[in-house]
């Protein structure tokens, strides 16, 4: 938990401790990053407005070395921060002030997806000559080069390649990659697809095997296939 407001930090520590979680707290971004490197937490709750190093810098550096789930806390009414967080690789966000029950529910969902992701997919390896995806080892290769993906990006790519040729709606992808059947936050899919394309070297949408089907969703086209 990286939060500089001592009152909020105390309240969150009590909330998480009573829910059965072991909590480590840092009051600034630089300390939070160091502790995350040292402790390897299961989840990071990250405030945006931090001294020393702001939340965006912490998120960027975390994503350089780790795919740990990150829940970003943003100030009320700052829509641009929510968008920035999603684009930067945050797994979820929550706007202050928030209800304790909602925070706990989001934390539980992120931890559940993170811990069960490896077992939630078929164990067989996918390989079409372009993409090689190994669910057991959680490794992805494109043309033989290994690509580092976050758990959400891995689940997203897995969902797309396992349904190659079929158009998956944002709601379907939310269910399969985010475990979010309610459809809340469909814009997460758009930003995650953009990040995934970039990481896999497919930034040009005209050349990318991950195709946007306007008004419907996204489709993975196998190399050499009609779809």
């Amino acid at each position: 938990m990286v939060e500089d407001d001592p009152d909020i930090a105390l309240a969150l520590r009590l909330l998480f401790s009573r829910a059965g979680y072991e909590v480590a707290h840092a009051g600034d971004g630089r300390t939070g990053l160091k502790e995350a490197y040292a402790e390897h937490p299961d989840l990071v709750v990250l405030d945006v407005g931090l001294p020393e190093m702001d939340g965006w810098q912490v998120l960027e550096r975390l994503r350089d070395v780790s795919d740990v789930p990150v829940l970003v806390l943003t100030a009320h009414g700052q829509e641009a921060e929510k968008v920035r967080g999603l684009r930067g690789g945050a797994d979820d966000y929550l706007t202050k002030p928030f209800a304790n029950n909602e925070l706990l529910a989001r934390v539980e969902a992120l931890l559940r997806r993170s811990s069960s992701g490896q077992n939630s997919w078929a164990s067989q390896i996918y390989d079409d000559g372009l993409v090689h995806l190994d669910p057991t080892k959680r490794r992805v290769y494109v043309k033989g080069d290994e690509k580092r993906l976050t758990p959400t990006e891995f689940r997203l790519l897995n969902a797309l390649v396992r349904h190659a040729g079929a158009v998956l709606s944002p709601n379907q992808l939310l269910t399969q990659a985010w475990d979010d059947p309610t459809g809340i936050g469909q814009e997460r899919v758009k930003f995650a697809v953009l990040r995934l394309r970039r990481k896999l070297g497919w930034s040009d949408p005209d050349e990318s095997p991950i195709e946007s089907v306007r008004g419907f969703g996204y489709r993975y086209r196998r190399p050499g296939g009609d779809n």
Side-chain angles (χ1 to χ4, degrees), residues 9-186:
L10 177 60
L12 292 181
R13 178 184 287 277
L14 291 173
L15 177 68
F16 291 135
S17 296
R18 288 170 179 169
Y21 297 112
E22 182 179 347
V23 185
H25 170 244
D28 64 79
R30 196 174 303 279
T31 302
L33 197 59
K34 288 179 180 178
E35 293 195 9
Y37 287 165
E39 299 295 332
H40 298 154
D42 295 316
L43 181 139
V44 174
V45 177
L46 178 64
D47 185 30
V48 170
L50 297 169
E52 298 292 330
M53 178 187 295
D54 67 24
W56 306 126
Q57 293 173 296
V58 174
L59 178 61
E60 181 179 2
R61 296 199 184 185
L62 276 176
R63 282 293 169 257
D64 286 340
V65 299
S66 172
D67 54 11
V68 61
V70 177
L71 189 155
V72 170
L73 301 179
T74 64
H76 177 66
Q78 297 184 353
E79 188 74 12
E81 290 195 342
K82 179 181 75 173
V83 173
R84 186 177 178 183
L86 295 172
R87 283 178 170 163
D91 296 276
D92 202 354
Y93 66 89
L94 199 56
T95 302
K96 298 177 182 178
F98 47 79
N100 288 346
N101 286 342
E102 182 179 6
L103 175 60
L104 284 177
R106 289 177 181 268
V107 164
E108 289 166 3
L110 287 175
L111 289 171
R112 184 170 60 248
R113 294 200 295 271
S114 178
S115 63
S116 65
Q118 194 166 359
N119 298 323
S120 62
W121 298 104
S123 60
Q124 66 267 29
I125 292 173
Y126 176 89
D127 194 328
D128 60 17
L130 174 64
V131 171
H132 176 99
L133 184 148
D134 187 334
T136 302
K137 296 181 179 178
R138 296 188 63 81
R139 289 186 171 180
V140 173
Y141 298 83
V142 175
K143 294 183 178 179
D145 294 329
E146 186 170 7
K147 306 295 183 179
R148 293 187 58 184
L149 302 180
T150 67
T152 298
E153 291 162 351
F154 185 91
R155 291 191 295 268
L156 178 60
L157 178 62
N158 198 49
L160 288 166
V161 299
R162 301 290 177 183
H163 298 85
V167 178
L168 299 181
S169 70
N171 278 349
Q172 288 174 310
L173 289 172
L174 281 166
T175 300
Q176 296 193 41
W178 282 266
D179 191 24
D180 185 359
T182 64
I184 296 173
Q186 292 187 21

